[in-house]
Amino acid sequence: MASRNDPYGTNRDFRGDFRAEIREFLGTRRAKVTPEQAGLPVYGGERRRVTGLRREEVALLAGISSEYYTRLERGDATGVSESIIEGIAQALQLDEAERIHLLDLLRGAGPPRPPRRRPVQQRVRPPVQRVLDSMTGTPAFILNGRGDILATNPLGRALFSPVYAGPVRPPNNARFVFLDPQATEFFRDWDKVAGDTVAMLRAEAGRDLYDRRLTDLIGELSTRSEHFRRRWAAHNVRIHTTGVKLLHHPVVGDLDLPFETFPLGADPSQFLLTYTAEPVSPTQDALNLLASWAATHDAIDKHAPTNDPESAETTD
């Protein structure tokens, strides 16, 4: 998204970025589908210069002209209809997250709008915080699409104590995953977590490339982490609402925690993340021990230096 001389994306042509995103996203999706998977004939001895589908093959499968598809893949989304988008989605065998991402990118490639000069303030409403605090046996968090942890309850704060150990507030999951050496030990399935984290940031970027804090975060991670750069270039997107997180906590050891996420209707950019343990399991025993530890120890330094980007004033 950002040039080599402008890693934080401060001087970007925003509309051009969406067009580049469309080109790269559709190109990576084409590369994943072979003619055999698409039901197209492959004649003996045919030498192909691409590993996946050619543009003309996508156009054939989508029922549109090759010229029209080529213009679309170059980012010219003028007048594209829902039926054409659906045809391309079927031809490229896109899943639901990829369909939504493509729609977001096409929408973003429309008439340009100026970037925000001031970041949108994000605060967790007091009733939501009270809900978190009432969940005494369940680690619970409020996050935004960038992965900032905006609020948590005491057990959640204890569970994610390695994430909270840094000085930056609010703590950010993506920054911890790729820039903190503790992350590979804390996440027992770090490679999967890393892929999921980038895929969620990709989806968020498709929704709003004008989010300055998001582009700054992506620029920082791209500059400082080869693992992030490699995954970012894959253009994978994902809707990640449920699963099992495999953690190794420095105090209580291994935990296998099923998680669920719930969007907050009144705060569309925020969602509730909860972790639960199977009853009568080693993980439940570990959570109980963690709750006792959090209640009797100063688990997290509450006087750590604060660098809260949400409250910073900027004139960009």
Side-chain angles (χ1 to χ4, degrees), residues 90-145:
Q90 291 184 4
L92 295 176
Q93 302 179 15
L94 302 185
D95 62 22
E96 183 63 17
E98 292 169 327
R99 289 169 186 253
I100 293 172
H101 186 60
L102 177 59
L103 286 170
D104 288 336
L105 293 178
L106 294 173
R107 190 180 304 114
R113 57 186 175 90
R116 302 188 189 111
R117 297 190 65 80
R118 290 182 182 271
V120 175
Q121 297 284 327
Q122 284 198 321
R123 293 288 182 265
V124 174
R125 291 179 293 113
V128 176
Q129 183 64 61
R130 289 196 292 271
V131 170
L132 290 180
D133 293 339
S134 71
M135 303 169 72
T136 56
T138 300
F141 308 82
I142 302 297
L143 295 93
N144 60 22

Side-chain angles (χ1 to χ4, degrees), residues 15-309:
R15 190 179 183 188
D17 274 352
F18 274 107
R19 289 178 171 177
E21 289 290 311
I22 292 170
R23 179 180 66 251
E24 294 168 11
F25 177 68
L26 289 177
T28 57
R29 298 314 94 178
R30 279 196 295 113
K32 287 191 168 188
V33 182
T34 66
E36 293 86 353
Q37 290 172 327
L40 294 174
V42 178
Y43 300 102
E46 182 180 2
R47 298 184 63 181
R48 300 178 63 87
R49 292 183 298 172
V50 295
T51 56
L53 295 177
R54 301 182 177 116
R55 290 189 182 92
E56 59 267 25
E57 290 170 333
V58 176
L60 174 66
L61 292 167
I64 57 178
S65 71
S66 178
E67 293 78 9
Y68 186 92
Y69 177 77
T70 298
R71 290 201 308 271
L72 179 61
E73 190 171 297
R74 289 173 178 168
D76 183 359
T78 305
V80 62
S81 67
E82 290 186 10
S83 61
I84 289 175
I85 295 171
E86 180 61 24
I88 292 171
Q90 291 184 4
L92 295 176
Q93 302 179 15
L94 302 185
D95 62 22
E96 183 63 17
E98 292 169 327
R99 289 169 186 253
I100 293 172
H101 186 60
L102 177 59
L103 286 170
D104 288 336
L105 293 178
L106 294 173
R107 190 180 304 114
R113 57 186 175 90
R116 302 188 189 111
R117 297 190 65 80
R118 290 182 182 271
V120 175
Q121 297 284 327
Q122 284 198 321
R123 293 288 182 265
V124 174
R125 291 179 293 113
V128 176
Q129 183 64 61
R130 289 196 292 271
V131 170
L132 290 180
D133 293 339
S134 71
M135 303 169 72
T136 56
T138 300
F141 308 82
I142 302 297
L143 295 93
N144 60 22
R146 295 190 299 270
D148 295 330
I149 304 176
L150 304 177
T152 186
N153 60 6
L155 187 54
R157 194 176 179 94
L159 179 65
F160 270 32
S161 56
V163 184
Y164 275 89
V168 178
R169 295 294 183 267
N172 179 271
N173 271 341
R175 189 177 283 112
F176 175 77
V177 167
F178 288 101
L179 303 183
D180 195 311
Q182 295 183 80
T184 53
E185 183 175 355
F186 181 65
F187 295 111
R188 288 151 51 206
D189 53 347
W190 182 88
D191 193 70
K192 181 178 185 303
V193 169
D196 290 343
T197 299
V198 175
M200 288 186 286
L201 286 179
R202 263 287 177 201
E204 184 70 10
R207 283 188 285 272
D208 190 2
L209 268 179
Y210 298 89
D211 182 343
R212 173 64 180 275
R213 298 223 182 275
L214 177 61
T215 55
D216 281 359
L217 174 64
I218 292 167
E220 177 188 3
L221 296 176
S222 297
T223 301
R224 299 177 61 187
S225 172
E226 172 62 29
H227 292 295
F228 180 87
R229 287 195 298 273
R230 177 166 49 83
R231 288 170 173 82
W232 186 256
H235 284 263
N236 293 328
V237 293
R238 196 162 300 149
I239 297 174
H240 202 55
T241 58
T242 186
V244 178
K245 196 75 75 180
L246 306 179
L247 305 179
H248 178 80
H249 193 276
V251 173
V252 300
D254 290 352
L255 302 100
D256 298 359
L257 289 167
F259 67 87
E260 299 285 339
T261 61
F262 308 90
L264 300 182
D267 305 288
S269 63
Q270 300 177 11
F271 61 92
L272 169 67
L273 167 66
T274 63
Y275 291 100
T276 57
E278 294 292 336
V280 194
S281 66
T283 294
Q284 183 63 67
D285 293 339
L287 270 188
N288 294 340
L289 178 60
L290 183 63
S292 299
W293 174 79
T296 56
H297 292 75
D298 187 15
I300 293 99
D301 182 7
K302 296 181 180 178
H303 302 290
T306 298
N307 179 15
D308 186 348

